[in-house]
Structures are given as structure tokens and as C-alpha cells.
Amino acid sequence: MPRPIAVRCTGLAGSLLLAGAAWLGGASSPWEPTVTPRTILAGRDGVLLPLCWLAGTLLLTGAWWAGRRAVPSLRHALVTAGLWALPLLPFLPLGSYDVYSYACQGWQLAAGLDPYAGGVGLLGCPWTDAVAPTWRSSPAPYGPVFLAMAAAAAKLGGSLTGTFALLRGIAVLGVVALGWCLVRLARHTGVPPERAVWLVLACPLVPIHLISGAHNEAVMIALLAGGLLAAVSSRAAVSGGVAVPIRALLAGVLLGLAVGVKATAVVVLPFAALLFPGLARKAVLAGGAVAALAAVSSGTGLGLGWVAGLSGSGLSVQWTAPPTAVGMTLELFGVPGAVTGARIVGMVVLAAVLVALWLRARDRDPVLHAGLALAATVLLAPVFHPWYALWPLTVLAVTLPRDTRWLAAPCAVAGVLCLPDGYNLALATKAQGAIVVTVLVGCLAWKVLYEAKSDSRRLAVDHGGPDRSRGVP
């Protein structure tokens, strides 16, 4: 078993190397790829940049993986997570140019423009050259809650640097709020808080993509965790004989605001409703969510235009999303339009899975099933980016038994997909990655069907029915 201080120092060394990678070649303005064969061969910094990124990522991920087996205390987990994030604060964003898209969309809203009416290339922005070309023509896919924050950052920050600094500050506050909620959620669900904090806050995806990349997931998952905490706290209070409908309202408001950051947060609402007894409190929860979202939509003047903007996120075609990978593989073998078809099938399957999970959650743990619903959303959605893995990780970390390898392993893999300048390695391995993921999807589907068939056989035997698989009457 590795010593906690050795784990902490190893991860800190990795974080310092990643800070070096951000200094040498993070996502800079104007947009320019920094990790290419030409830049690597051009000189010392070109070689040093990928080495810092690779060594830093491996050290940070390895320390997180090794440390999860024995976290000595909550204080150790919190201090370690903070130390690993600290070196990345002063430098350029790592792994994505998305924060510059946030800045431009915020500037548009602050200038009286509608970010849902067109991309930065159409509506204009003084920092357009910092936005990745892929997203310059796409309208904003984010909800009015986050766009209001981005607009405030652009107005107060003035320059791109100032806006970026404020957006990173918002992300840091989101991570701090998430940590506060995690500790209390874990205590309510009976999971050791130090383990939950380690799994989420010390996960390399947090310092790389939430802190350095300043992704709005920091705000969304903090609001999700807060809404679930209010719901779980209300359940405990009700079981003690105290009526607390105000907590249903608070849970609804927080979850509604989470939806107002990213629409995918809506999948948690039906599961949160199961934590409240009686139709009246469920109605208060739903009413709070709708009221919060309506208030922000009306206050910003944006309405529901962000719903149409969600379609722009489908521009990314990568094998990291299993339905897209299956479609890419079929197209490799000559099936035209397979990506679109596979994505539609994936959404249909997702709807069925969400309904099945909700039905199971009615007499089981709603919080666990909310986490599983987020995991299904990540796996079956048309697009996957590494930081999406934090959605289910946040909820499952406070509900799962001690063995968390199957939860941590995908997050570890996701952490190495993006180069320092935001280039996704999935783009360089389209055919190979699509075929591998398709094979994995096939194996998983076979395993699920096989286990379902085995369960039905066991159920028949337990109820005295015939076991035809062995020819026994």
C-alpha cells in the first residue's frame, strides 16, 4: 500500500509538469495548434511540451488511482486535491479552447446580442480568433444560467484575459461548493466522505478540465450536488417527523439552475422527486425547478432559444461516444448515413434505459439510480468529451461500495484524451478507435443479454418452474 505522503508528492509533481505544459503550449489566443509534428521538431520547447504533458498526466493519474484505496482522512483528501489544482491556476487553459467560446458568448449577451441566434463568426466578438474554428459558426449550446455568468465575467473583465480570469474564478468556486456538498452527501448516504472527496476532487479531470480548462461542468455538477443534498436532507428530516417542504423548493431551484447551465442535468430531476414523499412535495420540487429556469430565462431575455442551440454540439464526430463509434464503423464498411442512424438508436435506447432506471429506483436508492442515469446519458449521447465523465462520477462517488475500479478506470482513460492545446487524440485515431469501441459495445451487449437470460432462468427455478436449459422438468 503506497504511503499517503508519497501519493501526494507524486501527484503534485505531475501537476507541476502539467503547469509547465500549460506555460509552454496551453490553449492560447489566437487559436493555434501547439502539438504538431512541425512544432515538436522545431526546437527544445516543442519536444519539452509533449513530454511535460505525458509525464504529468501519468503521474497525476497514477497517484489518484493508487491513493483511492486508502485515504487516511477527509483533511488529507481536501488538502491533496487543493495542492494538485494550485499549480495550474496561473497558466493558460489545458485540454480545451472552450473557455474562449464562453468569453465570446458572454460578451455577446453583455452587448445585447442573442448568443443563440448564431456563432461568434456571425454575430461577432472582439476575441473571435481565440475560439476554435470548429465552434465559430455554432450558436451557444449552454443554458441561460451560465450565459448570465459569462456575460457578467465579460462585462467586469473587460479584456479576454480579465474575462478568462473571472471564468476560472467561477469554476474554482464551483469546485469548492462541490466539495462542501460532497462531504455532506456522503455522510447522508453512509459513504466515507474522504473516499468520495478523493474520487471526485482529486480526479485528474478536475484540475485539468474544471480548474485549468474552466469548464462550466464545475457550476453544473455543484448545483446538481446541492440539489441532491437538499433532497436527501429533506428525506432524513421527514423520516424524523419534521415537515420541510421548503427543502423540496430549494432542491427544485438548485436542480433547475443546473439544467440552466447544461440541459443534461434534467435527467436527475425525476430521481430527486422520488426522495420526497407525497405528491405535494414532488410538485413543489418540479415547480421550483421550472420557476428558477423561467426566472433566469426571462431575466436574461434569452427565453428557450438555448434548446435549439443544443443541436450544434453534434458537429463533433468522435469514437469516444459509443453510438457514434458504431456508426463510424458501419460507414467504414460502406453503410452511408450510419452515424446519424446510430445516434438516433442511441437516443432511443437511452430513453428506454432512463425509464427502466426510474422504475427500479422507486423501491431502491434514488441517488444511486440518478448516478446510473447520468452514466447512461454519457455513454449513449451522440457526443462525449472527457469532462463529461465527471457527471456520473460526482453522484456515484457517494453511493457506490468500496470497490470503485470500474468507476475510476474510465475517468483515468478520459484524462489522457486531450493534448495541452485541446486537440483530441480521438481525432487522430478515428478508424482504429471506432472499431475497438464497437467491439466493446458488442461484448457489453452480449454480456447484458446473457446475464438477463441467466437471471430469468434462475427466477424460474426459484419459483418452481421448469429449467429447460438443462432439460429438467
Side-chain angles (χ1 to χ4, degrees):
M1 189 72 65
R3 293 184 179 181
I5 190 64
V7 169
R8 176 183 285 176
C9 291
T10 301
L12 182 58
S15 183
L16 289 169
L17 287 169
L18 287 172
W23 177 59
L24 292 170
S28 60
S29 176
W31 177 88
E32 180 184 7
T34 55
V35 184
T36 65
R38 180 184 62 80
T39 58
I40 290 174
L41 298 173
R44 177 180 58 84
D45 287 351
V47 175
L48 190 59
L49 170 57
L51 288 178
C52 284
W53 168 79
L54 180 60
T57 302
L58 292 178
L59 286 173
L60 187 60
T61 303
W64 172 65
W65 180 270
R68 83 189 201 291
R69 289 176 292 180
V71 186
S73 67
L74 176 60
R75 177 183 173 84
H76 174 84
L78 290 169
V79 170
T80 302
L83 284 174
W84 289 359
L86 191 60
L88 297 171
L89 286 175
F91 298 106
L92 290 170
L94 278 174
S96 173
Y97 276 81
D98 282 5
V99 68
Y100 299 134
S101 294
Y102 303 163
C104 273
Q105 291 156 4
W107 179 89
Q108 289 171 341
L109 182 57
L113 301 173
D114 182 0
Y116 302 135
V120 297
L122 175 65
L123 300 182
C125 170
W127 314 310
T128 299
D129 59 355
V131 178
T134 303
W135 307 116
R136 289 179 186 175
S137 60
S138 302
Y142 312 114
V145 172
F146 182 72
L147 286 185
M149 294 180 178
K155 192 169 185 178
L156 294 173
S159 64
L160 179 59
T161 301
T163 303
F164 165 57
L166 289 174
L167 287 170
R168 179 171 280 174
I170 290 172
V172 171
L173 290 176
V175 172
V176 171
L178 172 61
W180 186 88
C181 293
L182 275 174
V183 172
R184 284 149 185 82
L185 259 176
R187 287 172 176 160
H188 276 288
T189 58
V191 170
E194 62 272 14
R195 197 194 72 188
V197 167
W198 182 271
L199 279 174
V200 180
L201 297 191
C203 176
L205 295 173
V206 170
I208 294 174
H209 292 296
L210 297 196
I211 300 296
S212 179
H215 276 99
N216 52 18
E217 262 73 14
V219 177
M220 185 194 85
I221 60 179
L223 290 168
L224 272 183
L228 286 174
L229 175 60
V232 171
S233 301
S234 178
R235 191 184 217 189
V238 169
S239 66
V242 182
V244 283
I246 192 66
R247 295 189 184 178
L249 178 62
L250 176 60
V253 168
L254 291 173
L255 292 173
L257 292 176
V259 175
V261 176
K262 281 199 167 181
T264 44
V266 74
V267 302
V268 174
L269 269 168
F271 297 92
L274 295 175
L275 292 166
F276 292 94
L279 187 59
R281 288 194 180 93
K282 289 178 172 59
V284 170
L285 173 78
V290 171
L293 191 55
V296 178
S297 298
S298 175
T300 57
L302 292 173
L304 295 177
W306 59 285
V307 176
L310 295 173
S311 60
S313 61
L315 291 173
S316 176
V317 179
Q318 299 175 13
W319 55 258
T320 48
T324 300
V326 172
M328 292 170 67
T329 301
L330 292 175
E331 289 191 354
L332 285 172
F333 288 96
V335 182
V339 169
T340 300
R343 285 177 163 182
I344 293 172
V345 171
M347 295 305 292
V348 172
V349 173
L350 174 60
V353 170
L354 292 179
V355 171
L357 286 172
W358 186 82
L359 292 174
R360 283 174 55 87
R362 290 181 301 171
D363 55 358
R364 293 178 175 86
D365 182 359
V367 180
L368 170 62
H369 285 75
L372 294 174
L374 287 170
T377 303
V378 170
L379 289 173
L380 294 169
V383 178
F384 171 82
H385 295 294
W387 45 94
Y388 290 5
L390 289 167
W391 307 349
L393 177 65
T394 298
V395 181
L396 294 176
V398 298
T399 57
L400 286 175
R402 187 169 183 82
D403 186 3
T404 56
R405 286 174 295 178
W406 71 272
L407 178 61
C411 296
V413 173
V416 300
L417 286 176
C418 289
L419 294 176
D421 60 0
Y423 182 79
N424 195 322
L425 291 174
L427 296 174
T429 55
K430 284 190 173 184
Q432 305 92 321
I435 293 173
V436 169
V437 172
T438 300
V439 171
L440 291 175
V441 169
C443 293
L444 179 61
W446 177 85
K447 180 177 174 59
V448 170
L449 292 174
Y450 177 80
E451 290 186 352
K453 189 175 181 180
S454 299
D455 288 343
S456 66
R457 288 172 178 168
R458 285 194 296 269
L459 187 62
V461 173
D462 291 343
H463 286 78
D467 187 357
R468 296 184 178 87
S469 65
R470 295 179 291 181
V472 179

